[in-house]
Amino acid sequence: MMSAADPNRLKLAVQKSGRLTDHSTDLLVRCGLKFSRGKDQLVGFGENMPLDLLFVRDDDIPDLVEEDVCDLGLVGLNVLEEKRLEWIARGHEPKFTILRPLDFGRCRLSIAIPEEMAWTGVASLQGKRIATTYPYVLGRFLRDKGIEADIVTLSGAVEIAPRLGRADAICDLVSTGSTLLANRLREVETVLESQVVLIRTPVAIDPIKTEWVERLLMRIDGVQQVRESKYIMLHAPRSALPAIRRLLPGSESPTIIPLEGHPDRVAVHAVCRENVFWETLESLKAAGASALLVLPVEKMLA
Ligand code: PRT
Ligand code: ZN
């Protein structure tokens, strides 16, 4: 019987429980993976692919991949970049590879200051105390900008540090900005834009497993493409074709089909790699199109 300890099976580290967990497992399920979670909930056993999931804290994912305990990992660039700079500072040159940015878990690491603090640009940080859980990324940012400031490293609750008198400013993750607002803080500078990335071990993966990495990547690309893609169908007079082709968003070569009994009219079918908005449909109609139909695309393989 196959087991998760089988060296021929890929191991992919994902966050155990947090903001990235559902998106990570959803992506893999969309790639066709069926998995069952063991009693300890730590391993997800791939039932239809030689691929097992290891559920861990997101902060552990870079180490697990860099040390080749896992072949692959899904982790936020914020966590990965902080680890990378920490390793370099400790004399370890990291060798993992980023295979794909994945367009979820988007957020930014930003500097925020109390509402009443004056701001004339990053120079306003000179000599200030900045609280963060990202001392290495913040340190590099300040060095690049030529700013000398005190980095106050905290393990959490960074947003209350100014109110407690522990810092003058903070450097923390922001997505909607409502946490900053609730703490009367103002976002003034982006330090790092982040999203989830797929990373792979620096160690060579054996050929059988490599084939599955390639298949997984191809499926991930397909999943990413269909997310925004639409299949659009319409009828139009032949004379309107040039105008209609210009209006179809992100589509390469539409299929043109003659309409029985209407020599001057055709059906146009096209895959649009961008969302199709009402405005586009209205413009198409104005250009002569009729019987417009927009369908979601379920799977795509180039
Ligand atoms: O237990 P474990 O260590 O695995 O989880 P964790 O608590 O460290 O991480 P988790 O689940 O909170 O976040 C995991 C990852 O999600 C982060 O490393 C980022 O890559 C990503 N991410 C995306 C975010 C946010 N958006 C985000 N908004 N991580 C944290 N936040 C915080 C933010 O700092 C703020 O305090 O959420 C709060 C709300 O944000 P606003 O701006 O929407 O108010
Ligand atoms: Zn964490």
Side-chain angles (χ1 to χ4, degrees):
M1 192 196 141
M2 290 195 294
S3 86
D6 186 336
N8 293 320
R9 296 176 66 82
L10 283 167
K11 284 196 242 2
L12 193 163
V14 295
Q15 191 185 24
K16 184 173 171 33
S17 105
R19 285 166 197 273
L20 309 181
T21 309
D22 286 350
H23 275 114
S24 302
T25 52
D26 279 0
L27 172 69
L28 295 163
V29 167
R30 279 166 162 269
C31 288
L33 180 70
K34 288 198 172 79
F35 68 92
S36 50
R37 241 166 132 162
K39 263 202 212 87
D40 57 5
Q41 304 277 300
L42 284 179
V43 179
F45 184 78
E47 291 171 354
N48 57 345
M49 293 186 201
L51 169 77
D52 300 316
L53 308 181
L54 229 73
F55 291 97
V56 294
R57 289 202 52 196
D58 68 343
D59 315 73
D60 295 333
I61 294 173
D63 298 271
L64 288 169
V65 174
E66 181 68 15
E67 290 164 14
D68 194 40
V69 178
C70 291
D71 306 282
L72 303 168
L74 288 172
V75 66
L77 209 50
N78 53 311
V79 168
L80 187 65
E81 190 59 6
E82 179 68 12
K83 276 282 175 189
R84 196 180 69 84
L85 295 176
E86 183 181 344
W87 286 330
I88 291 171
R90 294 181 196 281
H92 168 77
E93 192 60 46
K95 298 205 172 62
F96 66 84
T97 311
I98 295 182
L99 293 175
R100 289 291 187 283
L102 291 173
D103 203 26
F104 67 89
R106 278 189 186 276
C107 56
R108 51 201 186 272
L109 185 64
S110 285
I111 308 272
I113 57 171
E115 276 169 357
E116 63 282 2
M117 184 175 143
W119 182 258
T120 55
V122 280
S124 301
L125 295 171
Q126 183 68 33
K128 296 285 199 291
R129 296 165 303 157
I130 311 170
T132 190
T133 53
Y134 295 86
Y136 289 94
V137 175
L138 174 60
R140 179 186 58 185
F141 172 81
L142 294 172
R143 270 196 310 281
D144 287 352
K145 302 282 178 188
I147 306 289
E148 280 186 43
D150 279 340
I151 297 175
V152 181
T153 305
L154 302 179
S155 54
V158 170
E159 65 279 3
I160 60 171
R163 238 186 308 150
L164 298 177
R166 297 184 69 185
D168 305 301
I170 69 166
C171 174
D172 200 8
L173 295 179
V174 183
S175 49
T176 63
S178 58
T179 302
L180 293 184
L181 206 64
N183 288 282
R184 303 177 59 83
L185 296 167
R186 178 157 69 101
E187 187 178 359
V188 286
E189 183 83 20
T190 304
V191 173
L192 182 83
E193 294 276 358
S194 184
Q195 61 182 307
V196 169
V197 292
L198 176 69
I199 54 172
R200 62 154 282 176
T201 167
V203 175
I205 301 179
D206 83 48
I208 299 172
K209 292 205 293 188
T210 298
E211 203 187 298
W212 272 99
V213 175
E214 296 300 327
R215 284 176 81 168
L216 185 66
L217 286 177
M218 219 151 60
R219 292 182 187 188
I220 286 175
D221 293 344
V223 169
Q224 305 241 90
Q225 272 179 15
V226 300
R227 213 171 261 152
E228 287 277 284
S229 296
K230 295 282 178 281
Y231 193 76
I232 181 164
M233 303 195 276
L234 55 87
H235 289 180
R238 276 188 189 277
S239 58
L241 276 177
I244 283 172
R245 290 182 72 151
R246 273 195 302 276
L247 286 168
L248 288 172
S251 75
E252 282 120 49
S253 41
T255 307
I256 316 283
I257 308 155
L259 283 176
E260 188 67 30
H262 299 275
D264 55 334
R265 290 182 67 77
V266 288
V268 178
H269 291 195
V271 173
C272 295
R273 285 167 197 270
E274 294 165 31
N275 220 333
V276 180
F277 297 104
W278 282 109
E279 288 75 9
T280 309
L281 295 185
E282 286 157 3
S283 307
L284 285 165
K285 196 167 164 57
S290 59
L292 288 137
L293 204 57
V294 180
L295 305 172
V297 174
E298 161 131 342
K299 287 189 179 67
M300 198 187 270
L301 204 62

